[in-house]
């Protein structure tokens, strides 16, 4: 036979140059992706071999995985294959920064020590809490640590990959900037698939290069023939060009055939003609086992001796039907395997598949790794629909446990179809309902559940009840409360007057959740308390009930709410329920923040979320910590947490969390009176979530806050008011701090909108936060003082001061705003308030407000020279003369003309009987010290 494996790559110079450029960029820290598409046999794998060889020669690590025809039911198979290669000579890093990501890697590396998520955690059974973004970021974190000098990740034949692998790869490709990683993906262009859809979505993105391989030209085919068969004559060239039609694989295989068949399948048949009958049975058995086949099973499947199997494999390699790498064999191309299968009549395929399934079961009874998917394929080929359905049902359940919901859904649909007419179909369909519900595909879950309920007989009340309960949970998660109530009512009717143990408690807690959603807090609490009192509930149901009790109390009684969440925390810890423990910690931390801007429990919850791999929750907790430190006016710490939330939310595609974290940074900048920074962060927040109108209202209100903290309350009212007008159109209380401060600003300015603003803040529950309640309290105090109710104004101020625990900065600002009204109305302690505010504002860098405090303190001082006929304005001038200021400086500070100041000084000299500024200061000081208010005797000049 001729040398037919072409030693060089022909006609792909432009594609190789594009790959080299992408590799250079990736090794410089600008990761990217090369997507190679084309028809079967066009040379995708050959191009990849050449390209990755170049990468290896430049020092990059190369790992690869491949999807196979039955990969669609095996979540993450190609990625697992590649990662196992990477971890052959190294371990998963054990550093603390990797710890939060380890649970999300469990599905990619099943069975690897230390990666299995804890029971009930965010990555636990059927949780659906590990979205592609989290798992994708975990993969990036792992690859970054394992191959910091450069890595090429090759995934071939993705047209056969499961949808969750495709989603994960799409996330990875979109987040490669800054990484030393190049992804190389191959797939068939003409075969509809999830991967082809993703490739179309990625087209045009930075760092993504698409290489669509065309057929070779006649000149390229001639060059290829010459490379394979040096000295080939014109007749051979013309015949190959006419038959191969520009497909490189066909060029090689036509040259390898004894004759010159007209098709690829013909080349395979020509070569098989040289095999004996027993040898053909071995090759056919291999084809039944897949493109990548376990050669050790061939004796049992083919019925031939081990010696004959070895002889056949040698001949198959020689004839370019099979290739090998180390101990593993595979058909040279997927088309080769298909051509061998085409030589077998359907009855023959069925018989061989049945024997192969028996051999596989005997050799690997646990069907570990990807053998379960192979067994399902063999059972289907053998006509054993029930066995195939059961195996796929197991695969779907595993994908569901890993949170690979798209793969679980497709696999369970196939399982249910195969199990039609069997008792096991019901369970497969129930799992399908759950996977659709967890994926948020509520309408599809309802349709699948409805079909299952319709088909189930009256003797399957328990299973029908379970379907309704799961549909209720799906509807509740999507806030489809009418649908949730419908399924809850149906489940209760089916359960009857005496539900089975545990079902009654589940019904009760779901009743409570529906009531809570309808804002019937008393009913929700009552129902949840009945669940606890019944005593037949599981720990997770008790945690759910306690959470609802706590949430029903939270707006009215923080002490009762805290007690409920503390019980939930103890229950979760005792029953080893990490997810419910995290939820209880989160609630307790939120209460501490509302009550006294406490941060310890929030920090504990944030750390627990990170350890569990509940990274979305961890990002939310970073956001809450940032808000808590805003209340404490610890702005550097606030910014640290807000930036952590921005970074985490960006990695996980949590646009709302990212937008709110950017808004917190804008608020922090406004508290520094930094208009430029506040505006920049507010614009970024709006860009992150353009549909959230709250962010636009926040931007305008923040502009008002900047002016307020710059000392210009009157100018602050216009932009602040514009922001509040936008926020008034929204049903929620966000941003609560700005909503609480607004009534105080209005009251300070004597604006008649202050009273309605107080009522609006109360209606929205802004006062649930104790600090906000105190800000509103000071607004009420100002209004009471203006109405002549001095005692009530004093009482409101004293009560409000108690709410500024850990929030001293806001207390100082509230009292500063109230000073003019307190001085005019004769209530409060304005001089002390000004002195404390001056020190606080200086400490926080609010120099203009601190200066305004000093001005007000001076204005508040009595005139000790009034009996000598010195006017209040002359007294102001006299104080500044005593401070050593020139007439020009005094004019600037008092907003007078220098000539007016000069006249005031002349009048002071005359009234004190002195002839110089020095004498004037001495006389004034002596008079003030004596308390007589009369000028001292003239000092000798």
């Amino acid at each position: 036979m001729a040398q037919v494996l072409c030693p060089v790559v022909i006609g792909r110079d432009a594609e190789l140059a594009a790959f080299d450029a992408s590799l250079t960029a990736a090794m410089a820290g600008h990761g990217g992706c090369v997507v190679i598409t084309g028809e079967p046999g066009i040379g995708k794998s050959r191009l990849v071999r050449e390209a990755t060889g170049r990468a290896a020669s430049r020092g990059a690590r190369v790992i690869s995985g491949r999807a196979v025809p039955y990969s669609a039911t095996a979540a993450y198979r190609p990625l697992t294959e590649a990662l196992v290669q990477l971890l052959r000579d190294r371990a998963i890093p054990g550093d603390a920064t990797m710890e939060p990501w380890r649970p999300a890697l469990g599905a990619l590396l099943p069975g690897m020590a230390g990666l299995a998520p804890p029971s009930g955690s965010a990555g636990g059974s059927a949780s659906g809490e590990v979205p592609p973004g989290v798992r994708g970021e975990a993969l990036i974190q792992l690859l970054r640590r394992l191959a910091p000098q450069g890595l090429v990740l090759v995934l071939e034949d993705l047209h056969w990959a499961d949808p969750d692998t495709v989603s994960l790869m799409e996330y990875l490709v979109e987040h490669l900037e800054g990484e030393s990683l190049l992804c190389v993906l191959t797939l068939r262009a003409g075969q509809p698939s999830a991967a082809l859809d993703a490739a179309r979505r990625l087209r045009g993105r930075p760092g993504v290069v698409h290489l669509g391989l065309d057929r070779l030209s006649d000149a390229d085919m001639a060059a290829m023939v010459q490379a394979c068969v040096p000295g080939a004559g014109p007749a051979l060239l013309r015949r190959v060009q006419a038959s191969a039609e520009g497909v490189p694989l066909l060029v090689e295989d036509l040259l390898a055939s004894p004759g010159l068949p007209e098709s690829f399948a013909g080349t395979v048949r020509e070569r098989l003609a040289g095999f004996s009958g027993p040898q053909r049975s071995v090759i056919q058995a291999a084809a039944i086992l897949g493109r990548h086949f376990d050669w050790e099973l061939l004796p049992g499947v083919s019925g031939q001796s081990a010696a004959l199997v070895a002889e056949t494999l040698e001949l198959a390699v020689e004839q370019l039907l099979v290739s090998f790498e180390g101990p593993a064999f595979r058909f040279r191309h997927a088309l080769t395997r298909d051509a061998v299968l085409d030589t077998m009549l359907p009855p023959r395929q069925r018989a061989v598949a049945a024997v192969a399934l028996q051999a596989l079961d005997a050799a690997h009874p646990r069907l570990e790794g990807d053998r379960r998917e192979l067994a399902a394929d063999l059972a289907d080929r053998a006509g054993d629909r029930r066995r195939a359905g059961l195996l796929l049902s197991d695969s779907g359940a595993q994908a569901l446990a890993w949170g690979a919901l798209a793969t679980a859904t497709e696999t369970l649909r196939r399982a249910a179809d195969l199990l039609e007419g069997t008792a096991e179909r019901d369970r497969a369909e129930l799992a399908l309902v759950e996977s659709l519900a967890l994926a948020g595909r509520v309408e599809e879950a309802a349709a699948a559940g409805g079909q299952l309920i319709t088909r189930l007989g009256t003797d399957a009340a328990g299973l029908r009840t379970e379907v309704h309960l799961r549909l209720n949970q799906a509807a509740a998660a999507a806030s489809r409360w009418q649908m949730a109530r419908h399924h809850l009512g149906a489940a209760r009717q089916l359960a009857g007057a005496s539900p089975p143990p545990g079902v009654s408690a589940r019904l009760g807690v779901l009743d409570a959740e529906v009531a809570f959603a309808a804002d019937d807090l008393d009913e929700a609490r009552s129902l949840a308390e009945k669940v606890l009192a019944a005593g037949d509930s599981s720990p997770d149901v008790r945690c759910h009930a306690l959470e609802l009790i706590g949430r029903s109390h939270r707006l009215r009684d923080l002490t009762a709410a805290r007690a409920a969440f503390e019980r939930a925390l103890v229950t979760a810890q005792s029953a080893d329920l990490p997810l419910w423990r995290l939820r209880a910690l989160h609630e307790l931390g939120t209460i501490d923040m509302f009550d006294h801007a406490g941060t310890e429990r929030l920090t504990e919850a944030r750390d627990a979320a990170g350890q569990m791999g509940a990274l979305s929750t961890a990002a939310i907790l970073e956001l809450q910590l940032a808000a808590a430190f805003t209340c404490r006016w610890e702005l550097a710490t606030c910014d640290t947490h807000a930036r952590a939330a921005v970074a985490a939310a960006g990695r996980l595609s949590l646009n709302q969390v990212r937008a709110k974290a950017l808004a917190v940074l804008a608020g922090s900048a406004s508290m520094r009176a930094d208009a430029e920074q506040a505006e920049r962060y507010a614009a970024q927040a709006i860009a992150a979530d353009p549909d959230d109108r709250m962010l636009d209202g926040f931007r305008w209100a923040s502009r008002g806050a900047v002016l307020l903290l710059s000392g210009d309350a009157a100018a602050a009212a216009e932009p602040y008011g514009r922001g509040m007008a936008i926020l008034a159109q929204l049903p929620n209380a966000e941003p609560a701090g700005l909503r609480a401060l607004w009534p105080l600003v209005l009251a300070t300015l004597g604006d008649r909108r202050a009273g309605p603003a107080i009522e609006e803040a109360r209606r929205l529950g802004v006062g649930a936060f104790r600090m906000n309640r105190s800000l509103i309290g000071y607004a009420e105090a100002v209004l009471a003082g203006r109405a002549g109710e001095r005692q009530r104004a004093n009482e409101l101020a004293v009560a409000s001061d108690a709410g500024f625990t850990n929030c001293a900065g806001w207390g100082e600002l509230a009292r500063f705003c109230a000073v003019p009204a307190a001085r005019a109305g004769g209530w409060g302690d304005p001089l002390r308030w000004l002195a404390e505010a001056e020190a606080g504002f200086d400490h926080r860098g609010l120099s203009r407000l601190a200066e305004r405090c000093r001005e007000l303190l001076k204005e508040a001082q009595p005139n000790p020279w009034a009996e000598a006929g010195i006017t209040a304005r002359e007294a102001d001038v006299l104080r500044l003369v005593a401070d050593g200021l020139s007439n020009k400086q005094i004019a600037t500070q008092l907003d007078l003309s220098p000539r007016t100041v000069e006249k005031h000084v002349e009048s002071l000299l005359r009234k004190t009987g002195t002839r110089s500024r020095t004498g004037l200061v001495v006389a004034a000081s002596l008079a003030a010290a004596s308390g007589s208010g009369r000028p001292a005797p003239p000092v000798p000049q």
Side-chain angles (χ1 to χ4, degrees):
M1 295 180 65
Q3 169 58 43
V4 296
L5 293 179
C6 192
V8 293
V9 176
I10 302 293
R12 306 300 188 203
D13 292 346
E15 289 82 359
L16 287 169
F19 175 87
D20 287 340
S22 293
L23 178 63
T24 299
M27 295 187 75
H30 303 287
C33 178
V34 176
V35 182
I36 304 174
T37 60
E39 63 183 291
I42 201 66
K44 299 185 293 295
S45 294
R46 182 68 179 88
L47 179 63
V48 167
R49 284 198 302 275
E50 178 69 19
T52 54
R54 295 184 179 196
S57 69
R58 293 175 60 180
R61 182 77 181 264
V62 178
I63 58 174
S64 62
R66 182 187 299 271
V68 296
Y70 50 78
S71 290
T73 62
Y76 308 117
R77 180 193 186 280
L79 278 166
T80 299
E81 182 182 340
L83 292 176
V84 167
Q85 295 172 20
L86 188 60
L87 291 166
R88 280 176 184 157
D89 58 355
R90 64 198 71 193
I92 293 176
D95 60 282
T97 58
M98 188 66 203
E99 195 64 29
W101 305 102
R102 294 171 73 89
L105 292 170
L108 304 181
L109 292 162
M112 185 160 287
L115 290 185
S119 172
S121 77
S125 176
S127 68
E129 289 285 333
V130 186
V134 174
R135 194 158 277 142
E137 188 61 29
L139 179 59
I140 290 174
Q141 297 288 334
L142 177 66
L143 298 178
R144 179 188 297 161
R145 289 164 173 79
L146 290 180
Q149 302 307 315
L151 177 69
V152 178
L153 169 62
V154 179
L155 296 180
E156 294 201 67
D157 294 335
L158 285 185
H159 46 275
W160 285 319
D162 64 285
D164 286 285
T165 290
V166 174
S167 294
L168 189 52
M169 285 309 304
E170 190 170 0
Y171 176 90
L172 186 64
V173 170
E174 290 174 343
H175 294 80
L176 287 179
E177 177 56 38
E179 306 296 333
S180 299
L181 172 63
L182 180 64
C183 296
V184 181
L185 314 177
T186 75
L187 59 146
R188 292 182 182 175
Q191 180 172 325
S193 65
L196 187 59
D197 292 340
R200 288 169 178 153
R201 288 193 296 270
L202 292 171
R203 190 174 293 277
R205 288 186 178 273
V208 179
V209 175
H210 288 258
L211 303 179
L213 301 189
D214 296 324
R215 295 190 176 196
L216 299 179
S217 66
D218 284 350
D220 287 336
M221 281 193 289
M224 190 172 178
V225 171
Q226 290 290 347
C228 293
V229 187
L236 179 61
L237 292 178
R238 285 194 298 272
R239 291 170 65 190
V240 170
Q241 288 169 339
S243 298
E245 298 181 343
V247 178
L249 180 70
L250 291 181
V251 173
E252 293 178 339
D253 280 58
L254 287 167
L255 290 172
S257 299
L260 198 61
E262 295 182 356
S263 68
F264 180 80
T267 69
V268 174
R269 286 194 297 271
E270 287 281 356
R271 285 178 236 169
L272 283 176
F275 285 64
S276 67
Q279 288 173 331
R280 279 197 299 273
S281 70
V282 172
I283 289 298
Q284 290 172 344
I288 287 291
L289 288 170
R291 184 184 177 190
H292 298 253
F293 56 87
D294 184 349
W295 61 270
E296 294 186 79
L297 295 178
L298 290 178
V301 179
S302 66
Q304 306 300 325
S305 68
L308 183 69
V309 167
E311 174 188 297
T312 303
L313 289 176
E314 288 179 5
L315 180 59
V317 171
E318 179 185 331
Q319 293 290 330
L320 295 182
L321 295 172
V322 169
S323 61
F324 70 94
E325 183 176 346
F329 286 84
R330 69 171 186 168
F331 283 94
R332 181 169 173 245
H333 195 276
L335 293 175
T336 312
R337 183 214 178 195
D338 292 343
V340 173
L341 288 173
D342 285 344
T343 67
M344 304 171 67
L345 293 174
R348 171 70 176 160
Q349 286 197 35
R350 175 170 291 192
V352 175
V355 175
L357 181 58
Q358 292 175 359
L360 182 63
D361 281 334
H364 304 283
R366 296 178 60 189
L367 297 177
E368 62 278 359
D370 61 357
R371 293 187 179 93
R372 180 169 55 208
E373 283 66 40
L374 171 59
D377 181 67
L378 292 172
D380 195 20
R381 288 179 183 276
D384 189 347
R385 292 174 59 85
R386 180 176 178 276
R387 178 76 194 285
L390 290 174
L391 289 166
L392 288 180
S393 186
D394 290 343
S395 294
Q398 184 176 69
L400 184 59
W402 285 341
L405 301 178
T407 302
T409 296
E410 292 193 10
T411 304
L412 290 166
R413 281 194 198 280
R414 286 189 57 200
D417 288 342
L418 289 166
L419 290 170
E420 186 174 3
T422 68
E424 293 88 353
R425 181 182 181 183
D426 298 342
R427 290 295 170 184
E429 288 195 324
L430 182 63
L432 173 61
V433 171
E434 183 174 5
S435 69
L436 289 167
L438 288 171
R441 296 158 66 174
V442 180
E443 296 297 342
E444 292 178 73
Q451 291 173 4
L452 176 56
I453 290 167
T454 300
R455 199 183 66 255
L456 291 171
T458 55
D459 57 341
L463 189 55
R464 291 165 66 197
T465 300
E466 187 63 35
V467 176
H468 282 296
L469 288 173
R470 295 193 188 188
L471 289 175
N472 165 272
Q473 290 169 313
S479 298
R480 302 278 295 276
W481 297 110
Q482 184 175 354
M483 179 179 173
R485 283 189 287 270
H486 164 74
H487 286 292
L488 186 57
R492 185 172 293 286
Q493 184 175 1
L494 284 167
S498 302
V503 173
S504 177
R506 288 177 66 191
L507 289 168
V509 80
L510 293 174
D511 274 332
E513 184 156 13
V514 169
F516 186 87
D519 288 329
D520 192 344
L521 303 187
D522 292 334
E523 177 67 6
R525 184 169 61 255
S526 173
L527 290 167
E529 287 170 347
K530 287 179 182 177
V531 170
L532 296 177
D536 64 343
S537 55
S538 59
D540 61 315
V541 170
R542 289 200 298 276
C543 287
H544 193 173
L546 287 165
E547 181 180 278
L548 288 167
I549 292 170
R551 288 163 64 192
S552 69
H553 277 303
R554 191 166 52 195
L555 293 179
R556 294 179 288 189
D557 188 344
L558 285 182
T559 301
R562 182 182 285 110
F565 293 133
E566 291 283 7
R567 285 181 64 192
L569 178 62
V570 171
T571 302
Q573 288 173 331
S574 301
D576 190 23
L577 298 173
L579 184 58
W580 283 108
R581 176 181 178 272
L582 172 60
R583 291 173 66 150
L585 279 174
H586 193 167
E587 294 285 3
L588 288 167
T590 302
I591 285 179
D592 287 350
M593 181 177 72
F594 279 11
D595 184 55
H596 56 276
T599 59
E600 291 184 7
R601 279 281 175 72
L602 285 176
T603 301
E604 186 180 357
R606 187 272 317 271
D607 294 344
Q611 291 165 7
M612 289 171 56
L615 302 177
S616 300
T617 302
I620 292 169
L621 283 158
E622 291 284 12
L623 173 60
Q624 284 188 264
L625 281 165
F629 282 104
T630 300
C631 300
R632 300 169 76 98
W633 216 297
E634 296 177 26
L635 301 184
T637 308
C638 159
D639 290 357
T640 297
H641 287 290
R643 291 191 180 103
V646 169
R651 290 193 302 265
L652 305 177
S653 300
L654 303 173
N655 293 339
Q656 287 185 329
V657 174
R658 184 170 181 270
K660 288 180 180 178
L662 287 165
V664 171
L665 286 168
S668 173
S670 73
M671 291 168 65
R672 296 183 176 92
D674 187 337
E676 183 179 350
Q677 280 277 67
E679 193 66 27
R680 181 167 68 86
Y681 281 126
Q684 290 178 11
I686 291 171
D689 191 3
D691 295 331
D692 190 346
R693 297 241 24 234
M694 182 276 290
L695 296 171
D696 191 34
F698 175 85
R699 175 168 59 177
W700 281 102
S702 292
R703 289 171 179 168
V706 168
L707 292 170
L708 176 68
L709 294 170
S710 299
D712 196 344
E718 194 276 329
Y720 208 147
R722 287 187 64 174
M724 297 306 294
I726 294 170
L727 295 174
Q729 301 171 31
L730 306 178
N732 55 59
E734 291 184 282
L738 285 171
R739 286 186 184 266
L741 184 58
W742 176 236
L744 179 56
V745 172
L746 293 175
T748 300
L749 296 172
D751 194 306
R752 61 186 180 184
R753 294 175 292 170
I758 290 172
E759 295 305 315
E760 174 72 0
R762 282 181 173 150
R763 184 185 66 79
L764 291 170
V766 170
F769 202 137
R770 195 175 180 193
M771 182 198 83
N772 291 343
R773 196 158 63 246
S774 292
L775 290 172
I776 296 169
Y778 259 95
E780 291 181 294
V782 169
L783 294 185
R786 283 219 169 91
E789 302 174 17
R790 285 185 292 178
Q791 182 176 347
R792 183 165 182 269
N794 279 321
E795 290 171 352
L796 285 167
V798 170
S800 297
D801 283 340
F804 288 119
T805 305
N806 293 325
C807 304
W810 292 98
E812 291 158 5
L813 179 62
R815 290 186 287 273
F816 168 78
C817 289
V819 161
R823 287 178 61 190
W827 59 275
D829 192 353
L831 292 180
R832 178 176 61 82
W833 293 351
L834 285 171
E836 291 173 352
E838 178 194 0
F841 294 153
D842 269 332
H843 174 69
R844 294 176 179 85
L846 297 171
S847 57
R848 185 64 193 94
L849 285 186
E851 180 58 33
R852 182 59 183 147
C853 287
R854 287 188 281 272
E855 292 170 1
L856 290 172
L857 282 168
K858 285 185 178 181
E859 290 176 11
Q861 292 173 6
N863 179 359
W865 309 290
E867 292 185 20
I870 294 174
T871 67
R873 177 53 80 187
E874 289 172 342
D876 291 338
V877 172
L878 182 53
R879 291 189 187 98
L880 295 177
V881 169
D883 288 342
L885 273 65
S886 67
N887 284 359
K888 187 175 181 180
Q889 291 171 321
I890 294 170
T892 300
Q893 186 147 333
L894 295 181
D895 197 21
L896 301 172
S897 70
R899 178 60 184 150
T900 301
V901 173
E902 185 178 334
K903 288 183 177 180
H904 284 310
V905 172
E906 291 173 356
S907 176
L908 287 167
L909 290 170
R910 185 175 62 255
K911 290 178 181 179
T912 58
T914 56
R915 289 181 292 174
S916 70
R917 294 170 77 92
T918 302
L920 175 61
V921 171
V922 171
S925 299
L926 291 173
S930 70
S932 66
R934 300 177 184 278
V939 177
Q941 305 296 311

